[in-house]
Amino acid sequence: MGEVLRVSASSNPKAGAGALAAILRKEGAVEIQAIGAGAVNQAVKAIAIARGFVAPNGIDLVAVPAFTKVEIDGEERTAMRFLVRGR
Amino acid sequence: MGEVLRVSASSNPKAGAGALAAILRKEGAVEIQAIGAGAVNQAVKAIAIARGFVAPNGIDLVAVPAFTKVEIDGEERTAMRFLVRGR
């Protein structure tokens, strides 16, 4: 479980979904990190879209959201992490 | 699977998590609906917090996000829905 996808408020959800699906097919799981409401919203959209991308591969994608701390420019911020995996 | 929790941008994530956990323990699943980035963000926080509430009950909570259409004041809006269930 190495790869972390970083999603921002300006990320394209469909492009994010493509990246997510590609990693998921290869690794079986992927983590997404988002800071702020706009980024979290784009991450959720990407996950919803990615479900459709991997469903034909027999993968039923689920997400587990969690809080995490990250440091940006020396300041501690709370980020959301989504552990996404197939079942 | 009857209950739908509606979460807004001004919802308190901890209160939402409490409601979510209560329905989940009783019904085994719950749907959350959120419209807009602020509401989606609060919904994701509520799900993350609820994980901690139900973990002592042996429930490993997962979320499946999906798009849905809702009508508000005669206008069609895209909402996010989270199907939350334990495993």
Side-chain angles (χ1 to χ4, degrees):
Chain A
M1 243 312 292
E3 298 229 39
V4 177
L5 266 181
R6 282 175 182 76
V7 169
S8 77
S10 59
S11 293
N12 179 309
K14 202 171 173 183
L20 202 165
I23 300 171
L24 197 77
R25 285 194 196 97
K26 205 175 58 171
E27 313 270 352
V30 53
E31 238 174 273
I32 303 173
Q33 187 178 289
I35 301 170
V40 166
N41 192 37
Q42 297 309 79
V44 168
K45 286 184 196 167
I47 296 167
I49 296 167
R51 279 184 60 77
F53 290 173
V54 300
N57 305 110
I59 300 171
D60 179 19
L61 187 159
V62 298
V64 171
F67 297 98
T68 187
K69 299 276 182 200
V70 291
E71 200 180 296
I72 294 173
D73 299 331
E75 269 186 63
E76 195 179 73
R77 297 279 305 271
T78 298
M80 295 305 306
R81 280 210 171 189
F82 298 86
L83 173 57
V84 178
R85 55 192 169 209
R87 18 160 231 203
Chain B
M1 244 311 292
E3 298 228 39
V4 177
L5 266 181
R6 282 175 181 77
V7 169
S8 77
S10 59
S11 293
N12 179 309
K14 202 171 173 183
L20 202 166
I23 301 171
L24 197 77
R25 285 193 197 98
K26 203 175 62 173
E27 312 270 352
V30 53
E31 238 173 274
I32 303 173
Q33 186 179 289
I35 302 169
V40 166
N41 192 38
Q42 297 308 79
V44 168
K45 286 184 198 168
I47 296 167
I49 295 168
R51 278 184 60 77
F53 290 172
V54 301
N57 304 110
I59 300 171
D60 180 19
L61 187 159
V62 300
V64 172
F67 297 99
T68 186
K69 299 277 182 199
V70 291
E71 200 180 298
I72 293 173
D73 299 331
E75 269 187 63
E76 195 179 72
R77 298 279 304 273
T78 298
M80 295 306 304
R81 280 208 172 193
F82 299 86
L83 173 57
V84 177
R85 56 193 170 209
R87 17 161 231 203

